[in-house]
Amino acid sequence: MVNEASVNAWATKRYRYYVVGIHMGTLVKLHSFFTDRASLFDLPILAEFRTLNSKLDTHMALLMYQLSMEFIYYHELAHLIQYSPLDDDCLTEHVIEVEKTDEVYAVSAGKDDPYDLIKHVKEFDADLHGGYFICLHLIQYWKKLDESDRSQANLELLISLGTGAIFSYFILLLQKYPEMYYDASDHPHPLIRILYIIDMFIQTAEKNQPQGMSIKPEAILNRAFRLTEAMFTFAGGENVVKNFADIFMGEKENIELYVNNVLIPESLKLPYLVLQRVAANNVVK
């Protein structure tokens, strides 16, 4: 834990020690952001969530906080895996320090920021690692419901909740709300990240859902946007999510092209990425 008031997390390696740092401000601000908005789940606009909320052993607002913190942990853990050696001599390796990977965006995070493709790919890898485990946790949570409540609709609602939690975290990290960008900055634009994380959610859910279910990505994304919009417009806040949603609808095809033609091919060139190591060990195909 780092005694800093800002919202940020990072990973680094010093000597033989692999370190994840989470700023105290991340815990405090995310907890306040979500739990201060618990009353939103009583509103008609979130009626679907309200019905499910009454069946859970944890209020959805607190669950969103927990999911965002878990995502941060698994994201930063992926960066540590990226730093680790590919051979079996991990304990004998003696590295003074490797580059610290910050989660926070650059000051402006816009088109004029220097483009770092390798960092984009590392963030892509870490996001997928985080998204994979968060989805598994959501499915596990869904399986704890009474049998009569283990419906496809409720599973989609929980995945929407996780998506909304992560999306909210990205927006809080970004701080400013620039135009869409691709070949700029050291992190992919939040909308790019949300799209491929949703895709990871869907793939993971499809592999682990009961036979006969068919998860609907568009429904999940629409609910996640609606939930996140309610979070940010709470008590008269600025509706930054609507701007993101409008951009997303116009850029969806370009986002898919960037993911499929840039991030995925480039990630296949880096054997130290988490997904490459997992594939090499035949754990997930």
Side-chain angles (χ1 to χ4, degrees), residues 236-266:
E238 183 181 358
N239 191 355
V240 297
V241 180
K242 184 180 185 304
N243 180 44
F244 274 127
D246 291 342
I247 295 173
F248 181 84
M249 295 308 296
E251 293 286 336
K252 188 172 183 295
E253 184 175 337
N254 290 331
I255 293 172
E256 291 174 344
L257 287 173
Y258 183 68
V259 173
N260 294 329
N261 295 345
V262 179
L263 294 181
I264 292 176
E266 291 298 321

Side-chain angles (χ1 to χ4, degrees), residues 187-206:
H187 285 64
H189 192 280
L191 288 177
I192 298 175
R193 300 175 76 177
I194 284 296
L195 184 68
Y196 60 61
I197 288 172
I198 276 282
D199 188 57
M200 173 57 77
F201 279 171
I202 300 307
Q203 290 185 44
T204 305
E206 286 177 343

